[in-house]
Amino acid sequence: MRVLSVTLVAPALAWLALAELTLAHPAAGQERGRARPAPSAAADTRPTFTVGSATAARGQTAYGAISVPAGSDSGMTMPVAVIHGARPGPVIAFVAGSHGTEYASVVALTRLIGQLDAKTLAGTVIVAPLLNVPSFDQMIVHVNPVDRKGMNAQYPGDAAGTQTQRALALVTRQVVEPADVVVDLHGGDLDEDLRPYSYWIRTGNTRQDSASRALAMAFGLDHIIIRDINVATPASTRSLSGYALSKGKTTFVAEAGRSGTVDPRDVDALVDGALNVLGALKVLEMMGHAGRGVAHPVWLSGAGARVAADSAGMFFAAVGRGTYVARGSRVGYTTDYLGRATGDVLAPVAGVVTFIRGVPSMWKGATLVNIAPVFAEPPPYATPAAP
């Protein structure tokens, strides 16, 4: 999603340029709620499209799975769908479930599949709604319980590694590599009471950053976190978004959902956002779908402050997600297992509570709250210091 260190095929660059024009001047791309038809494409070089066991011909939707073979530990299968548009166009990959108990994002992508008619699309949509199947099945937060590794922290994977690494090697090859655009969906895990937001992750590549911003604006969540990364450092490319950006893809992340709930408002926000992205890229004709995105987002710093527990015990929030707090204000308190107070949790910076712990259980190192300072306007890209 290599000119200017961006590996976007020429048709995808054209669609992304049109998306930026449309978002800057809505009238240029929309008329009475209907997007203009997708531009004609060159000769079809992909009469069929295959991901895992899902093979779709033009104008068809195929369902299947990416099979991870057994190795040093057990194998597994990850569900996948391919919606191969009737007309050529860019390849858009939607991924969720790297953390299997971020349910709203997983459910949103399963519902997105049913809302896409391959006969009307110009381009191809890959939907991988649940990468971390063991986490989902066993209700284990943050990691794959089979090997205790994070499935958003091991890219590009390793075909000879443990289950997480073998799975991500296949995702890298079959989902990330063929995609022009990668949209990574998340949400509050079982222990996170999260307010919806997107990430605009910048690399310092002007063309790539502009395209990613356009999609974050199109998606429509009104809070956008700005995070600068250096794709030359391995630490920045272990996540799906960081790795995809390092390979020149247009990439962004959106999060909605909290504390294990599947609130229709969160699911709808993610489904509508995905449709907005497809409309902005001219993959989807926005029949009756406004798709205007967000005009005036709240820009938040990605260099926010997380407060971690210094011991095991119980945590209780004193403010809600999305609250604006002053530095030093009380955002929660902790107790021991007998209910005796052990301390107050204070905001280390002023800003927005992007998420706060939604359950009492805590362990040493557990995140209790994350607070992101507010920007009046996005600052210039700054290369982060090496870790």
Side-chain angles (χ1 to χ4, degrees):
M1 278 177 213
R2 195 184 276 243
V3 180
L4 297 175
S5 78
V6 178
T7 339
L8 288 173
V9 297
L13 285 172
W15 264 279
L16 288 167
L18 182 57
E20 294 175 45
L21 173 65
T22 301
L23 290 165
H25 306 285
Q30 297 184 7
E31 185 175 347
R32 296 184 181 179
R34 179 196 293 257
R36 292 181 179 177
S40 58
D44 187 3
T45 58
R46 283 175 164 158
T48 62
F49 199 103
T50 298
V51 179
S53 63
T55 297
R58 282 279 174 215
Q60 293 183 348
T61 295
Y63 298 84
I66 298 173
S67 295
V68 182
S72 59
D73 46 25
S74 60
M76 70 165 176
T77 58
M78 299 175 289
V80 67
V82 174
I83 303 95
H84 197 33
R87 291 164 290 154
V91 178
I92 320 299
F94 291 93
V95 177
S98 296
H99 307 117
T101 48
E102 294 181 352
Y103 298 124
S105 56
V106 174
V107 171
L109 285 192
T110 65
R111 294 183 181 172
L112 176 66
I113 298 166
Q115 293 199 29
L116 299 179
D117 181 356
K119 295 182 177 62
T120 68
L121 299 188
T124 303
V125 180
I126 303 168
V127 182
L130 178 57
L131 298 190
N132 197 342
V133 176
S135 165
F136 184 94
D137 288 347
Q138 299 181 42
M139 294 181 64
I140 300 295
V141 300
H142 306 308
V143 299
N144 178 354
V146 172
D147 57 10
R148 307 301 298 178
K149 292 176 180 174
M151 288 197 73
N152 196 33
Q154 296 286 324
Y155 282 89
D158 180 353
T162 62
Q163 186 185 88
T164 292
Q165 295 168 312
R166 298 195 308 279
L168 296 187
L170 292 169
V171 171
T172 296
R173 187 169 73 248
Q174 299 192 36
V175 177
V176 178
E177 289 181 2
D180 302 306
V181 177
V182 177
V183 179
D184 185 17
L185 298 187
H186 290 265
D189 218 321
L190 290 176
D191 54 353
E192 297 171 341
D193 188 6
L194 177 142
R195 70 104 53 234
Y197 53 80
S198 296
Y199 278 97
W200 176 28
I201 305 173
R202 305 185 301 188
T203 65
N205 181 305
T206 302
R207 183 66 177 271
Q208 190 179 30
D209 292 349
S210 178
S212 295
R213 172 177 170 150
L215 294 190
M217 296 287 283
F219 196 88
L221 296 180
D222 62 0
H223 283 57
I224 301 177
I225 296 175
I226 300 171
R227 179 170 171 244
D228 292 340
I229 67 171
N230 181 357
V231 295
T233 61
S236 293
T237 61
R238 292 182 185 131
S239 67
L240 171 58
S241 56
Y243 179 75
L245 285 165
S246 77
K247 295 302 178 182
K249 313 295 181 179
T250 298
T251 306
F252 95 105
V253 178
E255 302 211 25
R258 59 193 181 101
S259 300
T261 60
V262 185
D263 188 312
R265 292 168 295 184
D266 292 327
V267 174
D268 288 348
L270 294 176
V271 174
D272 289 346
L275 294 172
N276 287 345
V277 164
L278 294 174
L281 293 169
K282 304 303 172 186
V283 172
L284 174 71
E285 294 186 32
M286 306 286 275
M287 303 289 289
H289 192 85
R292 292 186 181 274
V294 57
H296 303 289
V298 176
W299 298 105
L300 302 175
S301 170
R306 290 196 183 211
V307 179
D310 58 11
S311 63
M314 303 179 76
F315 171 79
F316 300 91
V319 300
R321 62 186 182 131
T323 302
Y324 286 72
V325 297
R327 181 180 179 182
S329 60
R330 182 173 179 265
V331 297
Y333 64 95
T334 59
T335 74
D336 64 15
Y337 295 136
L338 293 170
R340 295 172 295 187
T342 55
D344 286 333
V345 179
L346 306 180
V349 297
V352 176
V353 175
T354 55
F355 66 86
I356 193 163
R357 197 160 192 80
V359 296
S361 60
M362 69 177 190
W363 51 88
K364 185 176 181 179
T367 299
L368 303 180
V369 65
N370 188 78
I371 299 169
V374 179
F375 290 132
E377 294 291 338
Y381 169 82
T383 304

